[in-house]
């Protein structure tokens, strides 16, 4: 009599359609196996219920994967079969039993598991879509919003698994599925007992890193449960420095928000204890908001430490901050409406007046008409990041966003260096890369510093931040055009770079620090950049 329990499977895309492959492993490119006793055939009905329709492939664990139909409920299913059954199928059936205990919208559903001695098989949900691995291979790295949504779904699935005391043990881009209707599901849990919930959480960091960069951060010797032997051998390795340390997502591609960069790298850092899966799920869910609502909240990074008065948990503060910013947004809308109304009234009064041409600084007053010069004002900085081509200290490249938050009391700062102000002889400099969004005419750039005695210069580059094949060193080498007046041994806390060519336009700039001031009272050399502001048109 067949015994029925309730497993897990992975999926790999083939020709635009998901092929369901067990244990996240690559399908072997081999000829069909020789038919032996217990081998399935098309049209056969298993357990008087599951009709086998099409043999999809074989996985490297020796299991046969079929597309089938539940003839009772008339729904498509995936059937993963091993023959003979018995002891050889024990792990597969145990995984099925464990997976069937957890029902969650972000987990692949497990319907049945049967051992008939001569063969054993698991029946589970059929997913039409593609794996994250295949999605990134086809379309390239994902935008931050979509990567966050996928990470949020995976963390939510893990929270459900961990709540039962179990471990998934097989989280990677091959087991993260995106269905045709945009549902994100996690497949193929394992039960070998060698994994931990912490490793599951580290793997979420790997999934985020892969989604943002197209590279797998665990290399050839990843965490257990994320080994190259389980469908990851073909994943490109992360960009690394000479010491083997991986580059942060923001060093691989431009446009990755600082908070998402920090969260991803914290999850991958073995020296930082990850949060529990439910806390991580809540944080990613908070960050996963529709694009048209992003103005409501500048989401900060998740810190894996206890709350303190200096740095409250973003989870605890999220509600109040969103309400406050929402009210601020409404007030801003009302103010804009009021200004438009005043402008309209002014236009009505002046309709009878003839317009008078005014001379501009860019064109003579006589000799015909010309368009008025664009008004000079504060330009919006779209993105900033710390450039540190000769360091492996990730803590020193965080908090770049604080230099454009409008608060001069908070900013980014270097580490403290010994011996001398030339970064202790360890590096030639550090900088802050600025993206103005589009090419703009720049009149001046002001840097508000934490102390006097610093030296810096302003450089320009023609291209956006280099791709994953480059990095910070290549950027510094490319940004060689010094613009504005340099500040050597500046004795103030405010540096103003001006004297720009009025005909030139700049989108990408590099504020490059060449020497640090000595700390008050001695004990090292250090500098903080409190605020950067750009004026132009």
């Amino acid at each position: 009599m067949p015994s029925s329990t309730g497993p897990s499977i992975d999926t790999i895309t083939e020709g635009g359609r998901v092929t369901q492959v067990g244990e996240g492993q690559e399908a072997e490119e081999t000829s069909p196996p020789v038919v032996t006793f217990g081998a399935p055939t098309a049209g056969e009905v298993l357990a008087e219920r599951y009709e086998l329709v099409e043999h999809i492939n074989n996985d490297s664990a020796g299991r046969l994967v079929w597309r089938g139909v539940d003839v009772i409920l008339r729904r498509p299913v995936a059937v993963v079969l091993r023959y003979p059954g018995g002891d050889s199928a024990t792990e597969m059936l145990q995984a099925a039993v464990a997976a069937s205990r957890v029902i969650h919208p972000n987990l692949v559903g497990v319907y049945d598991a049967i051992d008939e001695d001569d063969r054993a098989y698991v029946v589970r949900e059929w997913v039409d879509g593609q794996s994250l691995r295949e999605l990134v291979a086809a379309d390239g790295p994902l935008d931050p919003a979509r990567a966050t949504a996928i990470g949020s779904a995976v963390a939510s699935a893990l929270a459900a698994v961990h709540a039962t005391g179990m471990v998934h043990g097989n989280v990677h881009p091959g087991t993260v599925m995106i269905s045709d209707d945009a549902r994100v599901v996690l497949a193929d849990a394992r039960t070998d007992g060698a994994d931990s919930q912490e490793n599951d959480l580290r793997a979420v960091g790997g999934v985020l890193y892969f989604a943002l960069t197209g590279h797998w951060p665990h290399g050839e010797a990843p965490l257990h449960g994320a080994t190259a032997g389980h469908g990851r051998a073909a994943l490109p390795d992360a960009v690394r420095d000479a010491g083997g340390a991986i580059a942060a997502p923001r060093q691989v591609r431009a446009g990755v928000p600082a908070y998402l960069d920090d969260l991803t790298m914290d999850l991958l850092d073995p020296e930082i204890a990850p949060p529990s899966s439910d806390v991580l799920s809540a944080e990613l869910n908070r960050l996963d908001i529709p694009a048209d609502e992003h103005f409501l909240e500048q989401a900060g990074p998740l810190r894996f430490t206890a709350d303190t008065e200096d740095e409250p948990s973003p989870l605890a503060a999220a509600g109040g901050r969103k309400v406050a910013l929402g009210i601020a947004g409404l007030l801003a809308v009302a103010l804009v409406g009021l200004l438009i109304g005043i402008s309209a009234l002014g236009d009505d009064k002046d309709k009878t007046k003839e317009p008078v041409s005014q001379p501009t600084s860019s064109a003579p007053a006589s000799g015909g008409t010309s368009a008025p010069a664009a008004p000079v004002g504060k330009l919006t900085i779209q993105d900033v990041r710390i450039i540190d081509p000769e360091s492996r200290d990730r803590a020193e490249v965080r908090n770049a966003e604080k230099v454009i938050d409008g608060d001069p009391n908070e900013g980014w700062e270097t580490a403290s260096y010994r011996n001398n102000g030339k970064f202790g002889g360890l590096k030639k400099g550090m900088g802050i890369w600025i993206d103005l969004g589009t090419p703009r005419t720049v009149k001046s750039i002001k840097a508000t510093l934490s102390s006097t005695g610093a030296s810096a210069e302003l450089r320009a580059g023609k291209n956006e931040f280099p791709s994953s094949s480059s990095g910070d060193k290549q950027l510094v080498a490319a940004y060689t055009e010094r613009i504005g007046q340099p500040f050597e041994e500046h004795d103030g806390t405010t540096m103003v770079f001006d004297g720009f060519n009025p005909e030139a336009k700049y989108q990408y700039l590099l504020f490059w620090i060449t020497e640090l001031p000595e700390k008050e009272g001695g004990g090292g050399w250090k500098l903080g950049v409190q605020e950067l502001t750009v004026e132009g048109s």
Side-chain angles (χ1 to χ4, degrees):
M1 184 72 179
S3 60
S4 178
T5 50
S8 64
I9 284 93
D10 178 25
T11 55
I12 294 178
T13 303
E14 184 176 39
R17 181 189 64 192
V18 169
T19 56
Q20 318 280 323
V21 179
E23 292 298 332
Q25 305 188 22
E26 301 283 359
E28 295 179 344
E29 298 297 333
T30 59
S31 57
V34 176
V35 176
T36 62
F37 180 74
T41 58
E44 182 179 0
V45 178
L46 305 179
E48 301 181 348
R49 177 168 185 172
Y50 306 111
E51 180 181 356
L52 300 179
V53 176
E54 178 186 10
H55 176 220
I56 301 302
N57 49 34
N58 304 331
D59 67 24
S60 56
R63 306 184 309 181
L64 283 68
V65 183
W66 283 72
R67 178 171 62 87
V69 174
D70 183 335
V71 297
I72 296 178
L73 297 180
R74 306 306 302 172
R75 64 180 174 183
V77 294
V79 180
V80 182
L81 185 144
R82 181 188 290 278
Y83 63 93
D87 293 341
S88 66
T90 298
E91 195 279 334
M92 181 181 78
L93 297 174
Q94 287 176 342
V97 172
S100 66
R101 295 171 181 167
V102 186
I103 299 175
H104 189 275
N106 297 121
L107 287 170
V108 167
V110 177
Y111 303 146
D112 213 344
I114 299 173
D115 187 358
E116 296 179 344
D117 293 331
D118 57 328
R119 60 186 175 184
Y121 45 91
V122 169
V123 183
R124 57 95 159 168
E125 176 184 3
W126 176 271
V127 180
D128 280 318
Q130 56 187 329
S131 68
L132 176 61
R133 172 180 53 203
E134 294 295 325
L135 177 64
V136 172
D139 300 336
L142 309 183
D143 64 80
R146 193 173 188 190
T148 301
I150 290 174
S152 176
V154 173
S156 180
L158 288 177
V161 172
H162 292 175
T164 68
M166 295 190 299
V167 175
H168 187 279
N170 199 26
V171 179
H172 62 82
T175 55
V176 176
M177 305 304 306
I178 299 91
S179 69
D180 291 341
D181 61 358
R183 175 183 167 222
V184 178
V185 291
L186 183 60
D188 216 10
R190 299 174 63 192
T191 59
D192 56 16
D195 282 290
S196 66
Q197 292 187 0
E198 178 176 331
N199 284 352
D200 278 351
L201 294 162
R202 302 287 187 201
V204 176
V207 167
L208 285 171
Y209 191 96
F210 180 80
L212 291 168
T213 68
H215 295 266
W216 184 243
H218 295 304
E220 295 300 322
L223 297 168
H224 186 81
T227 59
H230 286 278
R232 305 164 184 80
L235 297 179
D237 188 21
V239 179
R240 300 175 184 272
D241 63 18
I246 64 173
R250 298 189 88 202
Q251 293 176 296
V252 176
R253 60 181 291 214
V256 177
Y259 64 82
L260 190 57
D261 183 90
D262 285 345
L263 177 114
T264 300
M265 295 302 287
D266 282 351
L267 287 170
L268 295 173
D269 191 337
E271 297 183 0
I272 300 178
S276 62
S277 53
D278 57 342
V279 171
L280 178 60
S281 174
E283 174 66 5
L284 284 167
N285 184 63
R286 181 178 71 88
L287 300 179
D288 179 21
I289 57 178
D292 57 357
E293 294 182 16
H294 282 178
F295 72 91
L296 290 175
E297 179 177 7
Q298 293 296 322
L302 171 65
R303 298 299 181 190
F304 304 157
T305 57
D307 291 347
T308 64
E309 292 183 0
D310 295 331
E311 189 174 336
S313 165
L315 294 178
R321 181 167 63 252
K322 179 171 286 190
V323 171
L325 289 171
I327 294 174
L330 292 175
L331 291 175
V333 171
L335 179 58
V336 170
L338 178 61
L339 292 175
I340 292 174
I342 293 174
S343 175
L345 290 174
D347 289 344
D348 288 341
K349 291 180 180 179
D350 296 336
K351 281 182 179 178
T352 58
K353 297 181 180 180
E354 291 293 330
V356 178
S357 298
Q358 297 293 335
T360 69
S361 58
S362 60
S366 60
T369 61
S370 62
V376 174
K378 183 178 178 181
L379 301 180
T380 299
I381 298 176
Q382 298 294 329
D383 191 19
V384 290
R385 55 175 297 173
I386 306 304
I387 303 301
D388 188 10
E390 298 170 276
S391 175
R392 293 175 58 186
D393 183 2
R394 282 189 42 254
E396 200 173 10
V397 301
R398 294 177 177 170
N399 301 321
E401 67 279 0
K402 290 185 177 181
V403 305
I404 57 172
D405 63 359
D407 183 359
N409 295 316
E410 285 192 335
W412 164 80
E413 61 182 11
T414 69
S416 182
Y417 291 84
R418 298 181 179 180
N419 301 325
N420 58 63
K422 298 286 188 180
F423 294 89
L426 301 175
K427 60 183 74 173
K428 295 180 180 179
M430 289 184 69
I432 302 176
W433 178 78
I434 302 169
D435 179 5
L436 298 177
T438 58
R440 308 296 293 268
T441 299
V442 177
K443 180 175 178 59
S444 67
I445 295 180
K446 181 173 72 173
T448 303
L449 309 178
S450 61
S451 58
T452 62
S455 296
E457 58 193 40
L458 192 67
R459 300 181 182 182
K462 297 181 180 180
N463 300 317
E464 63 179 324
F465 193 78
S467 65
S468 59
S469 62
S470 304
D472 285 12
K473 290 184 179 180
Q474 284 73 15
L475 183 142
V476 173
Y479 282 53
T480 56
E481 179 188 355
R482 291 176 59 169
I483 58 177
Q485 61 186 84
F487 281 84
E488 302 295 340
E489 300 180 358
H490 189 61
D491 60 359
T493 57
T494 300
M495 290 185 178
V496 178
F497 297 86
D498 53 18
F500 297 94
N501 179 358
E503 303 299 323
K505 291 184 180 294
Y506 304 96
Q507 178 175 346
Y508 306 106
L509 302 167
L510 178 63
F511 176 70
W512 185 246
I513 303 166
T514 56
E515 187 166 2
L516 305 174
E518 188 171 8
K519 292 162 60 177
E520 186 175 352
W525 283 261
K526 185 177 185 178
L527 178 66
V529 180
Q530 307 302 107
E531 202 72 19
L532 285 174
T533 55
V534 182
E535 287 198 349
S537 58

